[in-house]
Amino acid sequence: MLHPRANAMLAFALPALIIGSASSLVLILVMKFAEALQRLLWVNVPAALNIDTHSPWWLVGMLTLTGVAVGLIIRFLPGHAGPDPATESLIGMPLPLSAVPGLGLALIIGLAGGVSLGPENPITAINIALVVAAGSRLLPKVPRMDWIILAAAGTIGALFGTPVAAALIFSQTLAGNNDVPLWDRLFAPLMAAAAGAVTTQLFFTPNFSLQIDAYAATRLADIFSGSIVALIAIALGMVAVWSFPHIHRLFHSIKNPVLMLGLGGFVLGLLALIGGEITLFKGLDEMKQLAIGENFSVTELMLITLTKLAALVIAAASGFRGGRIFPAVFVGVALGLMLHQHVPAVPAAITVSCAIMGLVLVVTRDGWLSLFMAVAVVPELHLLPVLCIVMLPAWLVLAGKPLMLVGKGKQLPPRED
């Protein structure tokens, strides 16, 4: 009854649904463990021992011990907890299964200990490894690249609670063969992403939006203001990108991962003393504290912005397992709020969304993902025309600039079938 094209798409429907749901469950499991450990380390233990968690020795000690713990995992567990995250993009080739336990444990400890990285890169790598291993065993004739795409799509859908981000990312990755319509190629990844998003929403609804003044109508002046904000964010982000390989080389001159990550944790603790506890952790909950807090001055917001950006660079360069997108969003929010306070005539919706777009663009070099994150945090339909126009000069400025990667990561190659 159906066209062969439809039959081919339906063949992947059930595997896509299973993979998307399983990817979400892995994410939820890891995040629940990390939240429980974070509460134990930062609430229960200090309360039982009558420790002031705001004291300098506690902040520096906790981050240093977190680094030592992650270093011990990398040093002694089979698979060494995966490759150096500074060399990997969001979607890469599958890791050996032996690396999955160590990578998951290193991620949980880093998230709970306050490291300024998100879960996105390790979770995606873990799900890709599991799905490729299972898929290759159960259906060996299916190309490995198909399993990678479905696992990545399901994970991205689960992370953001919507399949939109996965659709945008894979619309450029899978567009390359004029003989097969793009939506045919997106069918299975979209199903995986939708299944991942729905499964996540059964447990909790990811909420990235901030409580800032609504953006009522598009103004021509906001296009120019937004472009300036985006360029400021890009300039700030490129300072981090250019310093990244040098800091990475400095840390990796220490051959022992326990000492290397212990030093990295110590530096992160010192940065927390400068920027405050709000600069700890992945940044999604903390950025909401920034938006509702009315006591942050321009100087304080500038300090928070620079501290969080430095913490992101140190954490990624010193070998902690984690992603760079979520903390980059926090930096964008802090920068946007600072610029709005400095020039109140420019709406906060413009400064925050354009700053996020610029920072995420620097970190990921993915226009669709950057646009999505800006709209997810500031969900105003009137912003879309402004952001699409602001994206153009921002992309021109970044053309040919170095990526926030050390060496050449094993990125997902274009699909040819």
Side-chain angles (χ1 to χ4, degrees):
M1 296 293 293
L2 295 175
H3 191 276
R5 279 172 46 196
N7 289 327
M9 287 184 279
L10 283 177
F12 275 98
L14 183 58
L17 291 174
I18 294 173
I19 289 170
S21 298
S23 299
S24 176
L25 291 175
V26 172
L27 169 67
I28 292 169
L29 185 65
V30 168
M31 297 306 293
K32 291 297 183 183
F33 271 116
E35 289 173 5
L37 182 58
Q38 178 181 332
R39 182 168 184 81
L40 176 67
L41 295 177
W42 292 89
V43 179
N44 296 343
V45 171
L49 300 178
N50 197 24
I51 296 174
D52 180 12
T53 57
H54 301 288
S55 64
W57 72 267
W58 172 259
L59 289 175
V60 175
M62 273 297 301
L63 269 299
T64 303
L65 289 177
T66 298
V68 170
V70 174
L72 288 171
I73 293 169
I74 295 173
R75 174 67 178 82
F76 293 107
L77 281 190
H80 305 290
D84 181 0
T87 65
E88 297 295 307
S89 57
L90 179 61
I91 304 173
M93 301 305 290
L95 304 176
L97 284 179
S98 61
V100 169
L103 179 57
L105 188 56
L107 171 63
I108 290 172
I109 292 176
L111 290 174
V115 175
S116 295
L117 292 174
E120 60 275 13
N121 286 56
I123 286 293
T124 305
I126 289 170
N127 283 336
I128 288 175
L130 295 174
V131 168
V132 169
S136 299
R137 180 180 293 271
L138 297 175
L139 297 171
K141 293 185 179 180
V142 176
R144 187 171 66 160
M145 189 58 62
D146 290 334
W147 299 125
I148 295 175
I149 292 171
L150 291 180
T155 305
I156 294 170
L159 279 166
F160 300 111
T162 172
V164 174
L168 294 173
I169 292 173
F170 285 102
S171 66
Q172 61 186 18
T173 304
L174 301 181
N177 188 345
N178 294 328
D179 296 332
V180 182
L182 175 61
W183 278 97
D184 283 22
R185 308 178 78 177
L186 280 176
F187 184 84
L190 270 180
M191 289 200 71
V198 170
T199 304
T200 296
Q201 291 179 8
L202 292 177
F203 295 88
F204 63 93
T205 301
N207 182 16
F208 299 90
S209 62
L210 298 182
Q211 297 181 10
I212 57 178
D213 294 337
Y215 186 69
T218 303
R219 302 181 306 175
L220 183 61
D222 292 336
I223 296 176
F224 297 99
S225 302
S227 298
I228 294 173
V229 170
L231 293 177
I232 292 173
I234 288 172
L236 187 63
M238 286 309 300
V239 172
V241 170
W242 282 319
S243 65
F244 189 60
H246 303 290
I247 297 175
H248 180 272
R249 190 181 309 114
L250 181 64
F251 272 104
H252 283 73
S253 63
I254 305 173
K255 301 304 180 183
N256 188 318
V258 180
L259 295 177
M260 178 181 69
L261 281 148
L263 177 60
F266 177 76
V267 176
L268 291 177
L270 296 179
L271 289 172
L273 297 182
I274 298 172
E277 293 182 41
I278 200 168
T279 59
L280 296 175
F281 304 103
K282 61 182 180 291
L284 292 188
D285 295 331
E286 291 73 21
M287 73 182 188
K288 295 179 181 180
Q289 298 175 27
L290 278 182
I292 62 177
E294 299 179 356
N295 298 323
F296 293 106
S297 65
V298 172
T299 303
E300 288 171 332
L301 287 171
M302 178 182 295
L303 190 62
I304 289 172
T305 300
L306 297 177
T307 302
K308 186 68 173 183
L309 187 61
L312 164 59
V313 173
I314 295 296
S318 61
F320 283 101
R321 271 40 181 174
R324 300 182 281 274
I325 297 174
F326 287 177
V329 172
F330 176 95
V331 176
V333 171
L335 176 63
L337 291 174
M338 182 200 74
L339 293 174
H340 170 64
Q341 281 204 27
H342 185 61
V343 186
V346 182
I350 290 292
T351 59
V352 171
S353 61
C354 291
I356 291 171
M357 189 171 66
L359 262 302
V360 176
L361 197 60
V362 169
V363 170
T364 65
R365 212 57 55 89
D366 189 309
W368 285 124
L369 183 59
S370 305
L371 185 62
F372 169 81
M373 291 308 306
V375 175
V377 175
V378 189
E380 298 281 355
L381 288 178
H382 292 295
L383 278 175
L384 273 175
V386 176
L387 292 174
C388 288
I389 296 173
V390 169
M391 173 71 74
L392 300 179
W395 191 261
L396 285 175
V397 169
L398 283 173
K401 298 297 188 297
L403 303 174
M404 198 172 187
L405 289 171
V406 176
K408 188 176 182 180
K410 297 177 289 183
Q411 300 180 40
L412 181 66
R415 188 176 169 187
E416 296 177 355
D417 60 332

